[in-house]
Amino acid sequence: MKVRSYSQGQWIEEGPETELISAVTGEPVVQMIEGDLDYQGMCEYARQKGGPKLRAMSIHERAFKIKFLAQYLLERKEEYYELSTHTGATRQDSWIDIEGGIGSMFTLSSKSRIELSDLPYHVEGSHERLSREGTFVGQHICVPRHGVAVHINAFNFPVWGMLEKLAPAIISGMPAIIKPSPTGCYLAYKVFEDMLESQLLPEGAIQFIAADKPGDLLDHLNSQDSVSFTGSASTGQKLKSHPNIVANNVRFNLEADSLNCSILGKDVTPDMEEFDLFIKEVANEMTVKTGQKCTAIRRTIVPNERVDDVIQALKERLNKTTIGDPAKKETRMGPLASSLQADRFEEQVASLLETTESVYSNGDGHNQGAYTDPKVLLCHQPLEVDEVHKVEAFGPMTTIMPYESNEEAVTLANKADGSLVGSLFTADDDIARDITLGCAPYHGRFMIVNRDCAEESTGHGSPMPHMVHGGPGHAGGGEELGGARAVIHNMQRVALQGSPTTLKNITKQYIKGADTKEAEKHPFQKYFEDLEVGEAKTTHRRTVTEADIVNFGGVTGDHFYAHYDEIAAKDSFFEQRVAHGYFVLSAAAGLFVDPAPGPVLLNYGLENLRFTKPVAPDDTIQAKLIVKRKTVRQKKAKDKYPFGIVYWDVEVTNQHDEIVADYTILTLIKRRETLDMDIFEEDEN
């Protein structure tokens, strides 16, 4: 295999070749061809070729592309596992990288299809009424940027690091240029090669740089572009301060390594489950990926009286760590990613030992080539020693730091001045609250573990695609992942202002106060494709009687005094007997539902219900049903029909044209047509 660049629709076959070395054997694995790349041309190709094709799709169509791409890659995972061994990763390590990355694609695709508009852009939240009469309103929308997303990835997670950035960029409508670290880049390259082979993404959507440094790439970025960098804080800050990045205010997301901590609560004793869970987590974070995780536990913060217990328990657990060839099943920890990384790790540990004491080192003679052993250090005065909160040894190590009080634990946790993640092991929820809220401003993620959640916990070092990943200060100040939020991060939020009707026509979503068109045929008798946003059905009227109230209470068992007690009701908020709110809701459904069979399959749910004015006996109500927005759903194998979801705005008014209830209902409605997305199986992680 030769690792090549893919630029402007072509593989670059010529250039100086560099041998990429196996972390396990020390022998060459592949050759990387560093071609003479036209970085300006790559940027223009992405903007002019890939960008328009992506922006022509809806968010949901782009999200389906990512889902189907994830399925395609998952079928080829064993090839990735085989290559991953050469990076020093065990099967479990590789699972985090490979299937964790592919799983992130599934999740980001699913969350985007559930939470974002089925349009090329996203209509965000409700409109804002900006005038007294409501003729001038505002609406936020998030639109695709007309640029390219540059992704500069770290060596420790070649697959996950690439895919967790790529998925939200593509779903947002931005093409990407991917630049992996040369260390282990053959794994990222193989996955990229398969993504191209799938032909699921339009040409120009993705390009690949095989090089040590990305040349003058950053010189050619503009205000519509973005850079997402994962790696060391020093390199990230250097790139972030690049003159062109600063001059053009290019969006820059930095996710840097940080000195993350785990805290053992003062309530925890060695005979408690939480103690064992804590020891297991610290040891795992030291040895998984050989400690080469930006989220690993570098600082282990424990009560003064538990220091000896923790050291002894860690020794016993780490002694069971089998170090060796990661391809062997019995191996628990492989080598570092390269001999260079091993040298750097030893230098960083040596620096820390100037202010700490070594209390554990496996010392089985594995310190050869890229191999090393787990190390536990002890800092006796962590409040006074700054180095342990600044110097990170990127490998299988942690430093134990004693504390006296909850306040001191918080101070120690925050002394790193910004972390990606912290964790706390405690069975006392008062301790959990005090420490969590004290640490929250300095951490991007904080995990609280006790025996109740431990079995299903995903772990201190595992950022999940549903939740944000990033952290303040030293951790970079950036933010990745977070479900649909990750997509929005790649888009431009713009505030629209105008009349409700104009904004409805721009956004293709009904806005309160906009003009509606009365349907000639009942909307429930129309197929999904035939319904238009703003189409409405105004119902006949119904006068509410005292018998309605009594009968509804009898059926539901709701005999609240405001509905039944005339005297008490006079002293109530309503000053008279009123109908049940849910009776109004039910009566409205009776007004607008068409009883005959039709394309409507079922009622799927109800959102944002508000009862804005009471309805009393002898009041007359009327409903207006309006098509608010539409979303196509993929046909699953078990579905009888292809369908979509229609969101209906419902306004229930009284005889004075005052709104008494306001809400959105969702219905599943048959589609006439089967779409390309329906031919793919629905299997998802």
Side-chain angles (χ1 to χ4, degrees), residues 615-648:
V615 174
D618 298 328
D619 280 348
T620 299
I621 60 173
Q622 185 177 37
K624 186 174 184 179
L625 187 71
I626 308 164
V627 179
K628 184 176 183 179
R629 64 185 178 97
K630 301 163 58 180
T631 297
V632 175
R633 293 303 298 267
Q634 183 185 24
K635 183 180 181 295
K636 301 178 184 179
K638 64 183 180 181
D639 295 331
K640 290 184 178 180
Y641 318 100
F643 65 91
I645 299 177
V646 177
Y647 295 72
W648 307 82

mmCIF file of all heavy atoms in Angstrom, residues 615-648:
data_model
loop_
_atom_site.group_PDB
_atom_site.id
_atom_site.type_symbol
_atom_site.label_atom_id
_atom_site.label_comp_id
_atom_site.label_asym_id
_atom_site.label_seq_id
_atom_site.Cartn_x
_atom_site.Cartn_y
_atom_site.Cartn_z
ATOM 1 N N VAL A 615 -62.036 28.015 28.672
ATOM 2 C CA VAL A 615 -63.268 27.807 27.917
ATOM 3 C C VAL A 615 -64.363 27.427 28.913
ATOM 4 O O VAL A 615 -64.230 26.440 29.649
ATOM 5 C CB VAL A 615 -63.094 26.695 26.870
ATOM 6 C CG1 VAL A 615 -64.432 26.383 26.192
ATOM 7 C CG2 VAL A 615 -62.048 27.085 25.836
ATOM 8 N N ALA A 616 -65.431 28.223 28.943
ATOM 9 C CA ALA A 616 -66.526 28.015 29.895
ATOM 10 C C ALA A 616 -67.734 27.418 29.175
ATOM 11 O O ALA A 616 -67.809 27.433 27.941
ATOM 12 C CB ALA A 616 -66.905 29.341 30.542
ATOM 13 N N PRO A 617 -68.675 26.862 29.917
ATOM 14 C CA PRO A 617 -69.911 26.396 29.287
ATOM 15 C C PRO A 617 -70.551 27.511 28.460
ATOM 16 O O PRO A 617 -70.520 28.689 28.851
ATOM 17 C CB PRO A 617 -70.790 26.001 30.477
ATOM 18 C CG PRO A 617 -69.813 25.668 31.566
ATOM 19 C CD PRO A 617 -68.672 26.612 31.378
ATOM 20 N N ASP A 618 -71.076 27.146 27.295
ATOM 21 C CA ASP A 618 -71.711 28.048 26.334
ATOM 22 C C ASP A 618 -70.713 28.799 25.463
ATOM 23 O O ASP A 618 -71.133 29.569 24.578
ATOM 24 C CB ASP A 618 -72.647 29.052 27.024
ATOM 25 C CG ASP A 618 -73.795 28.358 27.738
ATOM 26 O OD1 ASP A 618 -74.240 27.294 27.249
ATOM 27 O OD2 ASP A 618 -74.219 28.859 28.797
ATOM 28 N N ASP A 619 -69.401 28.627 25.699
ATOM 29 C CA ASP A 619 -68.424 29.172 24.746
ATOM 30 C C ASP A 619 -68.435 28.304 23.492
ATOM 31 O O ASP A 619 -68.706 27.099 23.542
ATOM 32 C CB ASP A 619 -67.011 29.169 25.337
ATOM 33 C CG ASP A 619 -66.776 30.339 26.277
ATOM 34 O OD1 ASP A 619 -67.612 31.259 26.304
ATOM 35 O OD2 ASP A 619 -65.738 30.338 26.986
ATOM 36 N N THR A 620 -68.113 28.915 22.373
ATOM 37 C CA THR A 620 -68.075 28.209 21.091
ATOM 38 C C THR A 620 -66.642 28.181 20.572
ATOM 39 O O THR A 620 -65.990 29.218 20.483
ATOM 40 C CB THR A 620 -68.993 28.891 20.062
ATOM 41 O OG1 THR A 620 -70.337 28.858 20.542
ATOM 42 C CG2 THR A 620 -68.918 28.178 18.717
ATOM 43 N N ILE A 621 -66.163 26.977 20.242
ATOM 44 C CA ILE A 621 -64.777 26.848 19.795
ATOM 45 C C ILE A 621 -64.723 26.422 18.328
ATOM 46 O O ILE A 621 -65.664 25.839 17.791
ATOM 47 C CB ILE A 621 -63.983 25.841 20.649
ATOM 48 C CG1 ILE A 621 -64.617 24.449 20.594
ATOM 49 C CG2 ILE A 621 -63.868 26.331 22.085
ATOM 50 C CD1 ILE A 621 -63.787 23.368 21.282
ATOM 51 N N GLN A 622 -63.603 26.746 17.707
ATOM 52 C CA GLN A 622 -63.352 26.403 16.308
ATOM 53 C C GLN A 622 -61.857 26.130 16.161
ATOM 54 O O GLN A 622 -61.038 26.750 16.845
ATOM 55 C CB GLN A 622 -63.772 27.563 15.395
ATOM 56 C CG GLN A 622 -63.662 27.274 13.912
ATOM 57 C CD GLN A 622 -64.166 28.452 13.071
ATOM 58 O OE1 GLN A 622 -63.968 29.619 13.434
ATOM 59 N NE2 GLN A 622 -64.852 28.162 11.979
ATOM 60 N N ALA A 623 -61.483 25.217 15.289
ATOM 61 C CA ALA A 623 -60.073 24.878 15.103
ATOM 62 C C ALA A 623 -59.618 25.218 13.693
ATOM 63 O O ALA A 623 -60.406 25.181 12.739
ATOM 64 C CB ALA A 623 -59.843 23.396 15.377
ATOM 65 N N LYS A 624 -58.334 25.554 13.598
ATOM 66 C CA LYS A 624 -57.704 25.776 12.289
ATOM 67 C C LYS A 624 -56.443 24.931 12.233
ATOM 68 O O LYS A 624 -55.558 25.054 13.076
ATOM 69 C CB LYS A 624 -57.378 27.253 12.077
ATOM 70 C CG LYS A 624 -56.843 27.562 10.679
ATOM 71 C CD LYS A 624 -56.680 29.060 10.463
ATOM 72 C CE LYS A 624 -56.232 29.346 9.038
ATOM 73 N NZ LYS A 624 -56.087 30.810 8.790
ATOM 74 N N LEU A 625 -56.374 24.064 11.242
ATOM 75 C CA LEU A 625 -55.273 23.127 11.054
ATOM 76 C C LEU A 625 -54.416 23.626 9.895
ATOM 77 O O LEU A 625 -54.926 23.838 8.793
ATOM 78 C CB LEU A 625 -55.849 21.744 10.745
ATOM 79 C CG LEU A 625 -54.930 20.549 10.657
ATOM 80 C CD1 LEU A 625 -54.396 20.178 12.032
ATOM 81 C CD2 LEU A 625 -55.693 19.360 10.053
ATOM 82 N N ILE A 626 -53.113 23.837 10.136
ATOM 83 C CA ILE A 626 -52.238 24.441 9.126
ATOM 84 C C ILE A 626 -50.993 23.572 8.943
ATOM 85 O O ILE A 626 -50.363 23.159 9.919
ATOM 86 C CB ILE A 626 -51.794 25.866 9.553
ATOM 87 C CG1 ILE A 626 -53.009 26.719 9.913
ATOM 88 C CG2 ILE A 626 -50.961 26.521 8.460
ATOM 89 C CD1 ILE A 626 -52.649 27.974 10.689
ATOM 90 N N VAL A 627 -50.621 23.294 7.709
ATOM 91 C CA VAL A 627 -49.386 22.553 7.442
ATOM 92 C C VAL A 627 -48.198 23.451 7.809
ATOM 93 O O VAL A 627 -47.975 24.490 7.190
ATOM 94 C CB VAL A 627 -49.283 22.121 5.969
ATOM 95 C CG1 VAL A 627 -47.959 21.380 5.732
ATOM 96 C CG2 VAL A 627 -50.460 21.243 5.574
ATOM 97 N N LYS A 628 -47.458 23.017 8.825
ATOM 98 C CA LYS A 628 -46.339 23.825 9.328
ATOM 99 C C LYS A 628 -45.020 23.458 8.651
ATOM 100 O O LYS A 628 -44.293 24.304 8.165
ATOM 101 C CB LYS A 628 -46.232 23.633 10.844
ATOM 102 C CG LYS A 628 -45.176 24.477 11.515
ATOM 103 C CD LYS A 628 -45.228 24.278 13.033
ATOM 104 C CE LYS A 628 -44.216 25.169 13.736
ATOM 105 N NZ LYS A 628 -44.293 24.998 15.222
ATOM 106 N N ARG A 629 -44.684 22.171 8.642
ATOM 107 C CA ARG A 629 -43.480 21.703 7.952
ATOM 108 C C ARG A 629 -43.594 20.207 7.704
ATOM 109 O O ARG A 629 -44.469 19.533 8.259
ATOM 110 C CB ARG A 629 -42.214 22.021 8.739
ATOM 111 C CG ARG A 629 -42.069 21.346 10.098
ATOM 112 C CD ARG A 629 -40.814 21.873 10.790
ATOM 113 N NE ARG A 629 -40.609 21.330 12.112
ATOM 114 C CZ ARG A 629 -39.815 20.302 12.404
ATOM 115 N NH1 ARG A 629 -39.133 19.704 11.439
ATOM 116 N NH2 ARG A 629 -39.670 19.885 13.649
ATOM 117 N N LYS A 630 -42.713 19.699 6.860
ATOM 118 C CA LYS A 630 -42.760 18.300 6.445
ATOM 119 C C LYS A 630 -41.367 17.681 6.536
ATOM 120 O O LYS A 630 -40.364 18.356 6.298
ATOM 121 C CB LYS A 630 -43.272 18.197 5.005
ATOM 122 C CG LYS A 630 -44.654 18.780 4.797
ATOM 123 C CD LYS A 630 -44.941 19.042 3.316
ATOM 124 C CE LYS A 630 -44.821 17.809 2.467
ATOM 125 N NZ LYS A 630 -45.107 18.078 1.034
ATOM 126 N N THR A 631 -41.338 16.387 6.846
ATOM 127 C CA THR A 631 -40.076 15.652 6.927
ATOM 128 C C THR A 631 -40.268 14.274 6.311
ATOM 129 O O THR A 631 -41.166 13.536 6.710
ATOM 130 C CB THR A 631 -39.628 15.483 8.397
ATOM 131 O OG1 THR A 631 -39.377 16.765 8.967
ATOM 132 C CG2 THR A 631 -38.373 14.638 8.486
ATOM 133 N N VAL A 632 -39.427 13.924 5.349
ATOM 134 C CA VAL A 632 -39.462 12.586 4.760
ATOM 135 C C VAL A 632 -38.801 11.607 5.721
ATOM 136 O O VAL A 632 -37.771 11.904 6.321
ATOM 137 C CB VAL A 632 -38.720 12.563 3.406
ATOM 138 C CG1 VAL A 632 -38.645 11.142 2.860
ATOM 139 C CG2 VAL A 632 -39.413 13.476 2.410
ATOM 140 N N ARG A 633 -39.391 10.439 5.897
ATOM 141 C CA ARG A 633 -38.781 9.387 6.712
ATOM 142 C C ARG A 633 -38.434 8.192 5.826
ATOM 143 O O ARG A 633 -39.151 7.882 4.878
ATOM 144 C CB ARG A 633 -39.736 8.944 7.831
ATOM 145 C CG ARG A 633 -39.989 10.003 8.868
ATOM 146 C CD ARG A 633 -38.730 10.513 9.541
ATOM 147 N NE ARG A 633 -38.030 9.483 10.267
ATOM 148 C CZ ARG A 633 -38.216 9.237 11.570
ATOM 149 N NH1 ARG A 633 -39.078 9.950 12.258
ATOM 150 N NH2 ARG A 633 -37.533 8.287 12.170
ATOM 151 N N GLN A 634 -37.337 7.529 6.188
ATOM 152 C CA GLN A 634 -36.913 6.365 5.422
ATOM 153 C C GLN A 634 -37.865 5.197 5.648
ATOM 154 O O GLN A 634 -38.299 4.947 6.762
ATOM 155 C CB GLN A 634 -35.498 5.961 5.832
ATOM 156 C CG GLN A 634 -34.947 4.788 5.036
ATOM 157 C CD GLN A 634 -33.595 4.328 5.547
ATOM 158 O OE1 GLN A 634 -33.268 4.561 6.697
ATOM 159 N NE2 GLN A 634 -32.832 3.674 4.703
ATOM 160 N N LYS A 635 -38.194 4.495 4.584
ATOM 161 C CA LYS A 635 -39.039 3.307 4.692
ATOM 162 C C LYS A 635 -38.205 2.142 5.208
ATOM 163 O O LYS A 635 -37.218 1.750 4.595
ATOM 164 C CB LYS A 635 -39.654 2.958 3.338
ATOM 165 C CG LYS A 635 -40.607 1.766 3.382
ATOM 166 C CD LYS A 635 -41.180 1.482 2.002
ATOM 167 C CE LYS A 635 -42.157 0.306 2.050
ATOM 168 N NZ LYS A 635 -41.475 -0.957 2.413
ATOM 169 N N LYS A 636 -38.606 1.581 6.345
ATOM 170 C CA LYS A 636 -37.937 0.422 6.908
ATOM 171 C C LYS A 636 -38.530 -0.855 6.307
ATOM 172 O O LYS A 636 -39.623 -0.839 5.733
ATOM 173 C CB LYS A 636 -38.095 0.412 8.429
ATOM 174 C CG LYS A 636 -37.543 1.654 9.110
ATOM 175 C CD LYS A 636 -37.778 1.599 10.609
ATOM 176 C CE LYS A 636 -37.316 2.875 11.286
ATOM 177 N NZ LYS A 636 -37.552 2.841 12.754
ATOM 178 N N ALA A 637 -37.809 -1.935 6.478
ATOM 179 C CA ALA A 637 -38.250 -3.211 5.895
ATOM 180 C C ALA A 637 -39.626 -3.624 6.413
ATOM 181 O O ALA A 637 -40.419 -4.228 5.689
ATOM 182 C CB ALA A 637 -37.212 -4.292 6.193
ATOM 183 N N LYS A 638 -39.913 -3.280 7.668
ATOM 184 C CA LYS A 638 -41.185 -3.703 8.266
ATOM 185 C C LYS A 638 -42.346 -2.771 7.920
ATOM 186 O O LYS A 638 -43.503 -3.091 8.228
ATOM 187 C CB LYS A 638 -41.037 -3.783 9.787
ATOM 188 C CG LYS A 638 -40.741 -2.445 10.446
ATOM 189 C CD LYS A 638 -40.538 -2.593 11.952
ATOM 190 C CE LYS A 638 -40.240 -1.251 12.605
ATOM 191 N NZ LYS A 638 -40.022 -1.370 14.056
ATOM 192 N N ASP A 639 -42.063 -1.629 7.301
ATOM 193 C CA ASP A 639 -43.121 -0.669 6.972
ATOM 194 C C ASP A 639 -43.909 -1.125 5.748
ATOM 195 O O ASP A 639 -43.326 -1.548 4.746
ATOM 196 C CB ASP A 639 -42.530 0.718 6.696
ATOM 197 C CG ASP A 639 -41.866 1.329 7.916
ATOM 198 O OD1 ASP A 639 -42.294 0.998 9.037
ATOM 199 O OD2 ASP A 639 -40.928 2.128 7.755
ATOM 200 N N LYS A 640 -45.233 -0.992 5.811
ATOM 201 C CA LYS A 640 -46.070 -1.341 4.663
ATOM 202 C C LYS A 640 -45.974 -0.285 3.568
ATOM 203 O O LYS A 640 -46.103 -0.605 2.380
ATOM 204 C CB LYS A 640 -47.533 -1.489 5.101
ATOM 205 C CG LYS A 640 -47.816 -2.700 5.970
ATOM 206 C CD LYS A 640 -49.308 -2.804 6.266
ATOM 207 C CE LYS A 640 -49.625 -4.040 7.091
ATOM 208 N NZ LYS A 640 -51.074 -4.149 7.382
ATOM 209 N N TYR A 641 -45.792 0.987 3.980
ATOM 210 C CA TYR A 641 -45.813 2.080 3.015
ATOM 211 C C TYR A 641 -44.639 3.023 3.273
ATOM 212 O O TYR A 641 -44.190 3.181 4.414
ATOM 213 C CB TYR A 641 -47.104 2.902 3.142
ATOM 214 C CG TYR A 641 -48.368 2.102 3.328
ATOM 215 C CD1 TYR A 641 -48.928 1.938 4.593
ATOM 216 C CD2 TYR A 641 -49.017 1.533 2.237
ATOM 217 C CE1 TYR A 641 -50.097 1.207 4.773
ATOM 218 C CE2 TYR A 641 -50.192 0.805 2.411
ATOM 219 C CZ TYR A 641 -50.724 0.640 3.680
ATOM 220 O OH TYR A 641 -51.875 -0.074 3.845
ATOM 221 N N PRO A 642 -44.175 3.711 2.227
ATOM 222 C CA PRO A 642 -43.265 4.838 2.470
ATOM 223 C C PRO A 642 -44.082 5.994 3.041
ATOM 224 O O PRO A 642 -45.261 6.169 2.690
ATOM 225 C CB PRO A 642 -42.725 5.165 1.073
ATOM 226 C CG PRO A 642 -43.779 4.701 0.133
ATOM 227 C CD PRO A 642 -44.422 3.495 0.781
ATOM 228 N N PHE A 643 -43.505 6.767 3.941
ATOM 229 C CA PHE A 643 -44.282 7.836 4.569
ATOM 230 C C PHE A 643 -43.387 9.014 4.939
ATOM 231 O O PHE A 643 -42.167 8.962 4.833
ATOM 232 C CB PHE A 643 -45.007 7.324 5.820
ATOM 233 C CG PHE A 643 -44.077 6.904 6.943
ATOM 234 C CD1 PHE A 643 -43.680 7.813 7.917
ATOM 235 C CD2 PHE A 643 -43.612 5.606 7.028
ATOM 236 C CE1 PHE A 643 -42.834 7.433 8.943
ATOM 237 C CE2 PHE A 643 -42.758 5.216 8.051
ATOM 238 C CZ PHE A 643 -42.366 6.128 9.006
ATOM 239 N N GLY A 644 -44.032 10.066 5.371
ATOM 240 C CA GLY A 644 -43.341 11.236 5.895
ATOM 241 C C GLY A 644 -44.067 11.725 7.125
ATOM 242 O O GLY A 644 -45.177 11.277 7.433
ATOM 243 N N ILE A 645 -43.431 12.640 7.855
ATOM 244 C CA ILE A 645 -44.067 13.251 9.024
ATOM 245 C C ILE A 645 -44.495 14.667 8.640
ATOM 246 O O ILE A 645 -43.696 15.440 8.101
ATOM 247 C CB ILE A 645 -43.104 13.314 10.219
ATOM 248 C CG1 ILE A 645 -42.663 11.908 10.630
ATOM 249 C CG2 ILE A 645 -43.757 14.015 11.402
ATOM 250 C CD1 ILE A 645 -41.646 11.901 11.754
ATOM 251 N N VAL A 646 -45.748 14.975 8.915
ATOM 252 C CA VAL A 646 -46.248 16.329 8.704
ATOM 253 C C VAL A 646 -46.522 16.966 10.060
ATOM 254 O O VAL A 646 -47.182 16.367 10.920
ATOM 255 C CB VAL A 646 -47.531 16.339 7.846
ATOM 256 C CG1 VAL A 646 -48.067 17.758 7.706
ATOM 257 C CG2 VAL A 646 -47.252 15.737 6.468
ATOM 258 N N TYR A 647 -45.969 18.152 10.254
ATOM 259 C CA TYR A 647 -46.180 18.932 11.473
ATOM 260 C C TYR A 647 -47.288 19.940 11.173
ATOM 261 O O TYR A 647 -47.183 20.736 10.239
ATOM 262 C CB TYR A 647 -44.902 19.669 11.878
ATOM 263 C CG TYR A 647 -43.752 18.767 12.262
ATOM 264 C CD1 TYR A 647 -43.070 18.023 11.302
ATOM 265 C CD2 TYR A 647 -43.343 18.667 13.588
ATOM 266 C CE1 TYR A 647 -42.017 17.192 11.654
ATOM 267 C CE2 TYR A 647 -42.283 17.844 13.949
ATOM 268 C CZ TYR A 647 -41.631 17.107 12.971
ATOM 269 O OH TYR A 647 -40.573 16.297 13.326
ATOM 270 N N TRP A 648 -48.352 19.883 11.974
ATOM 271 C CA TRP A 648 -49.509 20.755 11.769
ATOM 272 C C TRP A 648 -49.591 21.771 12.910
ATOM 273 O O TRP A 648 -49.553 21.396 14.076
ATOM 274 C CB TRP A 648 -50.807 19.953 11.758
ATOM 275 C CG TRP A 648 -50.849 18.803 10.806
ATOM 276 C CD1 TRP A 648 -50.345 17.560 11.011
ATOM 277 C CD2 TRP A 648 -51.456 18.778 9.508
ATOM 278 N NE1 TRP A 648 -50.588 16.749 9.932
ATOM 279 C CE2 TRP A 648 -51.272 17.473 8.984
ATOM 280 C CE3 TRP A 648 -52.138 19.723 8.733
ATOM 281 C CZ2 TRP A 648 -51.744 17.100 7.725
ATOM 282 C CZ3 TRP A 648 -52.609 19.346 7.487
ATOM 283 C CH2 TRP A 648 -52.409 18.058 6.992
#
